[in-house]
Amino acid sequence: MADYHDDLRLAHVLADAADAATMDRFQALDLKVETKPDMTPVSEADKAAEELIRGQLQRARPRDAILGEEYGVEGSGPRRWVIDPIDGTKNYVRGVPVWATLIALMEAGETGFQPVVGVVSAPALGRRWWAAKGLGAYTGRSLASASRIGVSKVGRLEDASFAYSSLTGWEERGRLDGFLDLTRAVWRTRAYGDFWPYMMVAEGSVDLCAEPELSLWDMAATAIVVQEAGGTFTGLDGRHGPHSGNAAASNGLLHGELLSYLNTEPPQQD
């Protein structure tokens, strides 16, 4: 098995630099925010953090490719770093502390590119999570100060806690009926959104979460953390990993039921 310790250490160094840059502009009264062509916001802090990470990667891993939300793909080869400089930009620009920098390393394999290292750093919450293939998943302040995490053992849907982002995406994709049925079947629902519910699945405080539309940079880091914590991360189509354009994560015990509800087609109108 490949040794990813050096890559994981580098990912923490990158996250430290990004944390300093993003916290420096968080809640700044003169923060500049633009609207991208897809009508989502991007701040000067998003761009600065990605530029910072790219610069450090180009020096430390010049042979690796880089894919980032703000500046696209650069380079090619069997190793690719995937960066979301601020996951939760809408929270960031409104002063809500639930946002994070997502850093993942993906490697080419028999099933295409799959994440092998992931760091999720949420400095405004004072939290960080990380994982590497075969090494487990952890949370803590640093590599030297960490606790191993694992998913819950909840095995009945009626005892499960389900997290989601919003209702509109499910409605737009014709999946609202199944989504609402799932919310009625579980014990508890909360709309945490963005990276956070996946981390809560990984540490066992939430049992299920799903989102109907995501990009690779939203999922690469969270996927490896959930998987190394003992959970399951797929698309709504059941495909393993972060490649389906949407996501379903669970403790594994409830994954089949989760997908069954969310793939329910609405009844046909006569």
Side-chain angles (χ1 to χ4, degrees), residues 32-218:
K32 295 178 182 178
V33 182
E34 303 170 8
T35 300
K36 294 191 286 189
D38 64 359
M39 302 308 293
T40 61
V42 57
S43 74
E44 62 182 88
D46 291 80
K47 295 179 178 180
E50 184 168 324
E51 289 170 351
L52 185 64
I53 293 170
R54 283 177 177 270
Q56 292 199 17
L57 281 173
Q58 287 162 356
R59 292 188 293 273
R61 296 289 190 275
R63 296 182 180 180
D64 293 352
I66 306 170
L67 170 65
E69 179 178 9
E70 306 308 335
Y71 294 107
V73 66
E74 180 179 358
S76 60
R79 287 166 47 99
R80 175 180 293 178
W81 293 86
V82 181
I83 310 300
D84 188 344
I86 299 178
D87 181 57
T89 297
K90 293 176 182 177
N91 283 344
Y92 184 88
V93 301
R94 290 297 302 271
V96 178
V98 183
W99 50 271
T101 295
L102 311 184
I103 300 169
L105 172 63
M106 302 185 75
E107 284 192 344
E110 294 180 358
T111 58
F113 279 90
Q114 292 295 338
V116 294
V117 169
V119 171
V120 176
S121 190
L125 293 177
R127 297 294 310 275
R128 184 178 290 185
W129 302 262
W130 64 89
K133 186 177 180 181
L135 299 179
Y138 296 84
T139 187
R141 295 283 184 175
S142 67
L143 282 168
S145 177
S147 301
R148 189 159 186 170
I149 56 176
V151 297
S152 74
K153 303 298 184 184
V154 174
R156 300 195 316 163
L157 203 60
E158 56 265 39
D159 298 327
S161 179
F162 170 55
Y164 62 96
S165 290
S166 68
L167 298 179
T168 54
W170 301 102
E171 185 173 26
E172 290 168 357
R173 288 156 189 81
R175 296 176 186 260
L176 184 59
D177 289 344
F179 173 86
L180 292 175
D181 286 343
L182 174 61
T183 66
R184 298 181 186 108
V186 298
W187 164 63
R188 189 173 189 254
T189 63
R190 285 294 184 272
Y192 298 111
D194 301 307
F195 69 94
W196 205 9
Y198 301 96
M199 297 304 93
M200 287 190 278
V201 167
E203 53 188 17
S205 53
V206 164
D207 312 300
L208 311 161
C209 67
E211 291 182 89
E213 183 179 21
L214 292 170
S215 298
L216 179 59
W217 48 75
D218 298 312

